[in-house]
Amino acid sequence: MLVADRLGETATFARHDIALLQTLAGHLAVALRSAWLLDRQLHDARHDALTGLPDLVGLSELAAPLLTTGVPPAVLVLTLDRAAEVNAVLGHRSGDEMLQLVARRLELALPGALVGRLGGEEFAAALAPRDGVPALQDALAAAARVEHVLDAPVQLSSASVSTTARLGVALAEPGDDLGDALRRADTARTSSDGTGAVVYTTSMDEGRAERVELLSDLRRALDTDQLMLHYQPKLDLAFGLVTGVEALVRWDHPRLGRLSPDRFVPLAESTGLVEPFTHHLLGVALRQLRAWQDGGVDVSVAVNLSARNVANPALPDLVAAALAQAGVPATRLTLELTESTVMGDHARAVPVLERLAAIGVTLSLDDFGTGYSSLSYLQRLPVRELKIDRSFVRGLEATASAEDSAVAAALIRSTTALKDALGLRIVAEGVEDADVLERVRELGCDVVQGYHVARPAAADQLDTSTTRLLTAGDAAAR
Ligand code: C2E
Ligand code: CA
């Protein structure tokens, strides 16, 4: 002020004016820098550092004005499939790069929308209502644009990866905060099969209530022995004998009757209940194994694991204790895991798998062919068995198209070609007839499992005339 007031009276600055100006400029710079820092801190507190998009807090603040105006906005939630697999196979840097590129594509696909990252591979957008366009119609068009931009492979520095997303859409309701609307969109997302956005309906929350009830029934089922295991033989083609069985859970629900695992395993997997669930079934399977051994039947038993089991560092000790309690050798236990089980939390899973292998348990990779795993990647895992997914084996059936049949044969042949080098045993799953059995034998598979050999059945239904038997030497050694 002082300097400015004097500007009209004098053409030059005296020495002390310059000093004053410098001091003022200094203060101004400090003030600007603190304001910038404060701004930056406020920005950082509300934005995701990786993609620069607002996080949930930031998005909620930005969307607040939309929620208080006349027409509530539509919101969209999306999760990327397979981001975890990209992390595991190509490394975290590639995973991060993919998220950054996807964030840019989302911004391009949704001009004018508020786009944010909720965490992990989960993104969200709030769409401001547009005059004359019904909010739902607008949201579905936006979702279609998102799917379209995600259709093209994402070019990372190390590789090109394709990604798909699951999308859920919901309309905000009067009085909602953004979190309420996002929760509904997320409920809708969980019913998406990846082939199009799903719009939230209130019946989905009823479905949720049903699931909560089934979950508490399942908790009770563990204590009251409603869960049982069926066993499906694995036929070793070189021996012509059943050398193993896979344990598959069944639930005799008091009100709903016999439930198949697809109805309740994913439910258990979505909570910590899967831990006691798996340990309960492991105990049942090992006691059955002991009973077979006592009867002279020499089969190994395969138990299915879930991602949470494999991420638990205590798993090897729990398995060792269960083996000791049942009095059966670790070499007779196989643990089956899917690619996504291993990929989910790769860094934690690998040491657990290594310790399991070290105690003598066989690890088997289920559903092989459906995910990203390359054989060279598998080489780094202590896996000894690969189960070719049923969807490929089905390609060998007489009714399959020429294309499916060529793909199936190529996948199986390229896998079995490397089995000796990688020390792997190859199992064909879902073999339903004799012709397919012959085809997989020709293609180099070692073991077959499927309805043609036997359907899963209770332990006392196992045809022991087809199984390997303990030799006198084995019996003496025990
Ligand atoms: P999975 O591990 O891939 O198990 C094989 C499934 O294929 C079983 O279904 C079996 O009955 C079925 N199957 C076997 N042979 C054939 C065939 O020739 N044709 C056809 N169409 N299907 C065949 P199930 O018993 O309904 O189990 C479904 C899934 O549930 C299993 O798939 C597994 O992922 C999960 N599951 C089953 N038991 C357990 C368990 O104890 N723990 C965990 N974590 N998951 C389990
Ligand atoms: Ca399995």
Side-chain angles (χ1 to χ4, degrees), residues 246-248 302-304 336-338 366-367 387 429 449:
E246 176 177 3
L248 294 158
V303 172
N304 289 282
E336 295 192 4
L337 2 118
T338 62
D366 225 348
D367 305 345
K387 299 185 78 176
E429 280 191 297
Q449 183 180 346

Side-chain angles (χ1 to χ4, degrees), residues 232 246 248-250 261-262 265 277 281 304 306 366-367 390 394 429-432 450-451 456:
Q232 185 175 36
E246 176 177 3
L248 294 158
V249 66
R250 304 288 180 261
D262 296 334
V265 170
F277 173 83
L281 295 175
N304 289 282
S306 302
D366 225 348
D367 305 345
R390 205 159 66 226
R394 190 162 296 149
E429 280 191 297
V431 171
E432 293 192 359
Y451 294 169

Side-chain angles (χ1 to χ4, degrees), residues 233-244:
K234 289 164 129 175
L235 176 72
D236 188 306
L237 291 172
F239 288 107
L241 287 175
V242 169
T243 54

Side-chain angles (χ1 to χ4, degrees), residues 159-476:
S160 163
V161 294
S162 52
T163 180
T164 51
R166 275 157 216 274
L167 285 94
V169 168
L171 289 180
E173 286 169 12
D176 267 355
D177 64 22
L178 187 72
D180 298 325
L182 289 178
R183 187 198 58 73
R184 285 198 293 275
D186 199 50
T187 301
R189 179 194 61 79
T190 55
S191 343
S192 157
D193 62 1
T195 57
V198 176
V199 178
Y200 170 81
T201 58
T202 44
S203 65
M204 288 176 179
D205 270 330
E206 285 155 23
R208 181 175 283 231
E210 245 168 54
R211 286 202 298 277
V212 169
E213 194 182 337
L214 204 58
L215 196 60
S216 84
D217 291 351
L218 183 56
R219 211 161 270 138
R220 210 165 313 122
L222 282 182
D223 304 327
T224 52
D225 259 354
Q226 293 167 21
L227 295 180
M228 61 178 307
L229 286 174
H230 274 185
Y231 298 88
Q232 185 175 36
K234 289 164 129 175
L235 176 72
D236 188 306
L237 291 172
F239 288 107
L241 287 175
V242 169
T243 54
V245 294
E246 176 177 3
L248 294 158
V249 66
R250 304 288 180 261
W251 180 7
D252 284 324
H253 189 283
R255 191 165 40 83
L256 302 171
R258 164 88 33 109
L259 298 181
S260 78
D262 296 334
R263 280 285 297 278
F264 59 90
V265 170
L267 202 61
E269 285 175 338
S270 67
T271 72
L273 188 63
V274 76
E275 298 269 5
F277 173 83
T278 302
H279 295 301
H280 174 79
L281 295 175
L282 181 67
V284 174
L286 292 178
R287 284 193 292 281
Q288 181 57 51
L289 181 58
R290 175 67 208 227
W292 275 321
Q293 291 207 332
D294 288 345
V297 173
D298 187 19
V299 286
S300 63
V301 167
V303 172
N304 289 282
L305 292 185
S306 302
R308 265 184 212 244
N309 301 133
V310 178
N312 178 2
L315 182 71
D317 291 339
L318 291 167
V319 169
L323 285 163
Q325 200 176 11
V328 287
T331 51
R332 288 294 176 267
L333 174 66
T334 297
L335 295 174
E336 295 192 4
L337 2 118
T338 62
E339 286 177 52
S340 53
T341 302
V342 185
M343 302 298 188
D345 193 345
H346 186 254
R348 291 176 77 173
V350 171
V352 170
L353 299 184
E354 276 164 357
R355 283 174 52 220
L356 283 168
I359 61 174
V361 172
T362 301
L363 298 175
S364 170
L365 197 75
D366 225 348
D367 305 345
F368 181 71
T370 57
Y372 260 106
S373 305
S374 63
L375 285 170
S376 63
Y377 167 71
L378 289 179
Q379 204 177 2
R380 290 186 268 139
L381 295 177
V383 165
R384 286 282 147 266
E385 180 180 280
L386 283 192
K387 299 185 78 176
I388 309 265
D389 190 64
R390 205 159 66 226
S391 55
F392 291 99
V393 174
R394 190 162 296 149
L396 301 176
E397 289 173 2
T399 49
S401 70
E403 193 191 342
D404 284 354
S405 158
V407 168
L411 175 105
I412 299 175
R413 199 176 290 113
S414 62
T415 310
T416 56
L418 288 170
K419 68 180 184 184
D420 292 335
L422 299 177
L424 290 169
R425 175 171 64 196
I426 313 294
V427 182
E429 280 191 297
V431 171
E432 293 192 359
D433 63 51
D435 292 340
V436 172
L437 187 144
E438 279 317 313
R439 280 289 280 142
V440 298
R441 185 204 298 273
E442 282 161 23
L443 289 167
C445 293
D446 305 289
V447 177
V448 293
Q449 183 180 346
Y451 294 169
H452 179 63
V453 177
R455 287 181 178 252
D460 58 7
Q461 302 293 305
L462 182 70
D463 179 359
T464 51
S465 70
T466 61
T467 59
R468 183 170 61 189
L469 300 177
L470 283 175
T471 62
D474 291 329

